[in-house]
Amino acid sequence: MEIDRRAFFAFLGGPAAVAAMSHEAKADGLEHYMAFQLNQAKANESKAGGAKKFPTVAEIDAQIETRGNRRGVGNLFLSSTGHVTKLPPMPEKSTLADFFKLRFKATSNHVLQSANRAMQNGMSEEIILACLLHDTVQDLIKVDHGWWGAQMYEPYVSEKVSFAIRYHQALRFYEDKEHGYEYPDLYRRMFGSDYKPEPYIEATYQMVRNHKWYLEPRMVTVNDLYAFDPKVNPTLDQFVDIIGRNFKQPKEGLGFDGSPVAHMWRTMIWPNNFL
Ligand SMILES: [Fe+2]
Ligand SMILES: [Fe+2]
């Protein structure tokens, strides 16, 4: 893909913003820019061609053996440039904000945009927090990210927040137009046009659909963003108070509080440790 340097700089917020960015942030920015360009190209293509063309499940399966990694691997273990980069060290007692700044590089813009949207739509603090956290575990692991994410956050957030994180994964495959959720084209592209969720996803959906907290994960899917919007670049600052009121930061730092999920945080602190 050809990169228009000026457009890329504008996308990142202008030359001054680019000058202040680390190499890693620039590489991430480039990855987002290319994903965005790709989305645009695909949208134009389908507009021009009338009907949209999506791959089938069989076509996506056929790509498996052409790849160097499995699609479920976490972003911290992958490279968009051919080699991974050195990660900045984490503070001794890391907070959630430290992880946003130093480890959630690939997911933070997406979740900040989702939380920003939830805030503008007048959602509860718990839903805003769930939106802010909902995909961050994908820096650790992508497969079954709703369950992994809920588990990783469970000791630090309310039951409603972890419920919303866990089940947004299943709900995103099922439309609910009444509440403003349509099945996104991105999934037709990622999972295949004829994709049918596994029976455990269907069963989970049925359970959550009839649960008194159904709207918690549903609102995460409604405020989720399925395209990278270069015009919106929210920062963590606007969510600091919500985090303070709804996230129990362990005083020993995430990864060192002896909780059943501490190892998950340590894995993100030191993803280069080979055993
Ligand atoms: Fe998600
Ligand atoms: Fe998401």
Side-chain angles (χ1 to χ4, degrees):
M1 187 186 296
E2 237 174 81
I3 300 293
D4 174 342
R5 203 180 155 83
R6 203 183 299 165
F8 173 53
F9 275 42
F11 177 86
L12 293 179
V18 174
M21 288 168 92
S22 67
H23 287 304
E24 178 142 339
K26 275 181 214 159
D28 284 330
L30 183 63
E31 188 180 359
H32 285 139
Y33 179 69
M34 287 170 72
F36 171 70
Q37 293 285 85
L38 208 61
N39 280 345
Q40 293 290 95
K42 289 214 168 101
N44 293 341
E45 214 173 84
S46 51
K47 255 186 246 157
K52 292 174 183 172
K53 170 86 179 96
F54 300 107
T56 62
V57 170
E59 283 166 347
I60 290 174
D61 261 14
Q63 293 168 3
I64 291 175
E65 292 184 324
T66 69
R67 298 172 58 94
N69 61 275
R70 297 192 189 278
R71 294 209 301 179
V73 71
N75 296 312
L76 277 170
F77 303 90
L78 279 175
S79 150
S80 53
T81 55
H83 58 88
V84 292
T85 54
K86 276 201 175 169
L87 289 165
M90 297 285 294
E92 217 172 289
K93 294 177 181 175
S94 295
T95 63
L96 181 64
D98 293 321
F99 277 90
F100 263 87
K101 254 183 278 155
L102 303 170
R103 291 297 182 271
F104 297 163
K105 294 282 194 158
T107 56
S108 59
N109 190 282
H110 167 69
V111 295
L112 283 165
Q113 291 203 28
S114 300
N116 182 51
R117 192 171 174 181
M119 197 178 238
Q120 282 174 355
N121 286 338
M123 298 286 121
S124 68
E125 290 203 348
E126 282 173 308
I127 290 174
I128 295 170
L129 182 65
C131 287
L132 184 68
L133 307 177
H134 80 284
D135 281 341
T136 52
V137 81
Q138 291 187 31
D139 286 312
L140 177 66
I141 185 162
K142 289 182 189 167
V143 57
D144 250 337
H145 74 285
W147 275 270
W148 279 98
Q151 185 181 3
M152 186 171 90
Y153 284 112
E154 224 148 32
Y156 315 109
V157 299
S158 71
E159 217 181 318
K160 249 189 201 173
V161 172
S162 61
F163 186 92
I165 296 172
R166 177 169 288 113
Y167 297 123
H168 89 275
Q169 181 195 333
L171 294 199
R172 54 198 184 135
F173 293 116
Y174 302 89
E175 287 203 332
D176 180 351
K177 287 192 177 148
E178 191 196 330
H179 290 106
Y181 183 73
E182 285 188 39
Y183 191 81
D185 276 353
L186 178 69
Y187 287 177
R188 294 191 176 92
R189 200 167 291 135
M190 275 170 40
F191 294 92
S193 53
D194 51 343
Y195 174 72
K196 292 263 170 309
E198 296 289 336
Y200 83 97
I201 295 281
E202 169 72 25
T204 299
Y205 165 67
Q206 295 299 344
M207 182 280 285
V208 178
R209 187 76 189 86
N210 296 306
H211 195 284
K212 63 180 180 197
W213 288 349
Y214 167 66
L215 283 179
E216 306 289 319
R218 175 49 79 201
M219 286 302 128
V220 174
T221 69
V222 168
N223 291 287
D224 209 340
L225 285 175
Y226 293 98
F228 184 74
D229 184 349
K231 296 185 291 295
V232 190
N233 268 314
T235 66
L236 197 62
D237 297 351
Q238 74 190 74
F239 305 108
V240 164
D241 291 345
I242 289 179
I243 293 171
R245 284 190 289 271
N246 298 276
F247 186 88
K248 296 180 214 93
Q249 170 65 42
K251 60 180 186 321
E252 306 88 344
L254 289 161
F256 305 99
D257 58 346
S259 87
V261 301
H263 63 287
M264 294 168 84
W265 296 91
R266 291 196 303 267
T267 300
M268 293 190 292
I269 293 174
W270 294 302
N272 279 303
N273 287 0
F274 45 95
L275 281 178

